[in-house]
Amino acid sequence: MDELCGTPDSGQPSRRGGVLTFAGSAGIGKTTLLAEARRHAAERHCTVLFARGGEQERQVPFHVMRQLIQPAFAAMTEDEAPGTASSPRRWG
């Protein structure tokens, strides 16, 4: 978590970012572990995107990626959204 969000004692968070992925058998606690990781990240004011995938999602290209970014884009104002005429930020 320190590498993803920066250490809480470091003053300014590093905001490097990254990806955590988990896979495993049903019932071993993956959901609980990831919920705890999200909680710790939120305490450090990190942006957390999450999605779920399974056998069915493998058939739809980029389905999990859409789950990740759609809520973030939906929460943006028109000025913040990439690709709008008034947006100074470019993604890519």
Side-chain angles (χ1 to χ4, degrees):
M1 194 61 62
D2 287 346
E3 286 186 37
L4 294 173
C5 296
T7 58
D9 303 342
S10 65
Q12 193 77 341
S14 66
R15 301 290 187 201
R16 286 188 45 215
V19 176
L20 293 175
T21 61
F22 288 84
S25 303
I28 63 170
K30 297 180 301 294
T31 301
T32 301
L33 180 61
L34 288 171
E36 190 67 11
R38 285 195 307 267
R39 187 182 68 76
H40 282 286
E43 287 174 355
R44 295 176 182 205
H45 307 287
C46 291
T47 300
V48 178
L49 306 176
F50 64 97
R52 301 183 131 172
E55 287 297 320
Q56 191 169 0
E57 285 77 12
R58 289 182 183 189
Q59 306 302 317
V60 181
F62 301 106
H63 180 75
V64 172
M65 180 61 74
R66 182 176 176 192
Q67 285 184 55
L68 286 171
I69 62 173
Q70 190 170 14
F73 283 150
M76 290 180 177
T77 66
E78 186 175 320
D79 289 337
E80 295 171 322
T84 61
S86 60
S87 176
R89 178 174 40 183
R90 298 286 181 251
W91 294 53

